[in-house]
Amino acid sequence: MPVSTIPIKAFIQAAEAAIHEHAEEVTELDQAIGDGDHVINLRRGLMALAGSANELESADWSATLQKIGMSLMSSVGGASGSLYATLFLAMSKAFKDREMNQRNLAEAFGQGVEAVKQRGKAELGEKTLLDVLIPVADTLQTAAAQSRPLPQLLDDIRRVAEAGCESTRELLATKGRASFLGERARGHIDPGARTSQLMIAAITGVLDETAS
Ligand code: ADP
Ligand code: MG
């Protein structure tokens, strides 16, 4: 699929709208187990991306993902900024000289998530955005091996992202600011897991229209 047919602008707008709609809820989560700035951090990144959306549609996916990663690196700040930048930069590397298809996307996303794990020194079950990203990466990889139809894949991705987000509620945090709270972090969903899930739901929602 050529990059020009992928609605990058629509992805950014949908992600921005989802974060905007849930801003209060996410801020409360980050006030409960972080420092309350997560929505502000993400919004800065999404605004920077929206501002350069036309330039993002370049000749190939590797270049586009690299631009997204660099833009996030310089705009977001906070732990989540360098982690999201790492995700996109590692995906850019994986897409070098590769076309966009389900298999390559699954592999690139998998490598991106692997890079986030290394960067954050975190694994599944540590109450972070990885509790959403890892199951989504696994779902993409399994689906690519089976060539699952796109509408079903999009539903599966949304479902595992929601389950992953919800799973953080009862976890203890062992990474990031929430780890300072010990038992007091229990009972609160991780803000980064929630925003990852919200953005994944928004992006798959845009793709629903192209899949139907
Ligand atoms: P900061 O914690 O620096 O204020 P943000 O508020 O923007 O940054 O992001 C917090 C989110 O980042 C957390 O909710 C968590 O999901 C994620 N996070 C923090 N540290 C790590 C880590 N080491 N690995 C993976 N994710 C992390
Ligand atoms: Mg914060």
Side-chain angles (χ1 to χ4, degrees), residues 30 34-38 41 177:
D30 198 34
D35 57 355
D37 63 350
H38 185 55
N41 288 341
R177 291 180 198 279

Side-chain angles (χ1 to χ4, degrees), residues 22-37:
H22 298 271
E24 217 173 299
E25 174 206 330
V26 175
T27 298
E28 279 170 19
L29 291 175
D30 198 34
Q31 279 166 347
I33 65 168
D35 57 355
D37 63 350

Side-chain angles (χ1 to χ4, degrees), residues 21-196:
E21 197 183 323
H22 298 271
E24 217 173 299
E25 174 206 330
V26 175
T27 298
E28 279 170 19
L29 291 175
D30 198 34
Q31 279 166 347
I33 65 168
D35 57 355
D37 63 350
H38 185 55
V39 167
I40 297 167
N41 288 341
L42 275 189
R43 270 207 180 134
R44 246 192 338 260
L46 289 166
M47 272 172 63
L49 290 182
S52 62
N54 290 332
E55 293 142 52
L56 294 176
E57 297 195 357
S58 62
D60 67 283
W61 269 98
S62 183
T64 296
L65 290 160
Q66 187 180 28
K67 283 183 194 165
I68 293 173
M70 309 261 273
S71 174
L72 294 177
M73 184 70 91
S74 59
S75 61
V76 180
S80 59
S82 71
L83 294 169
Y84 274 119
T86 299
L87 175 72
F88 285 98
L89 292 175
M91 283 181 75
S92 160
K93 225 164 130 188
F95 258 110
K96 211 138 205 93
D97 302 322
R98 288 206 176 173
E99 56 171 355
M100 174 56 77
N101 59 39
Q102 202 170 309
R103 187 174 290 270
N104 287 345
L105 176 65
E107 200 181 312
F109 192 75
Q111 288 186 23
V113 171
E114 217 32 65
V116 173
K117 285 163 74 175
Q118 282 175 23
R119 172 102 197 184
K121 298 185 176 54
E123 290 287 339
L124 187 74
E126 298 201 74
K127 201 178 180 94
T128 72
L129 43 80
L130 282 166
D131 292 325
V132 170
L133 299 187
I134 292 171
V136 168
D138 291 346
T139 302
L140 273 172
Q141 252 144 13
T142 312
Q146 303 170 338
S147 352
R148 203 173 294 175
L150 187 55
Q152 193 196 331
L153 172 59
L154 295 172
D155 278 343
D156 290 345
I157 288 173
R158 280 189 284 267
R159 215 184 36 250
V160 299
E162 274 168 30
C165 175
E166 186 55 40
S167 78
T168 64
R169 189 190 297 275
E170 292 310 322
L171 287 171
L172 272 177
T174 32
K175 294 283 150 47
R177 291 180 198 279
S179 63
F180 308 140
L181 294 176
E183 284 291 338
R184 279 178 295 149
R186 267 202 234 273
H188 302 282
I189 284 177
D190 174 62
R194 178 65 167 142
T195 53
S196 295

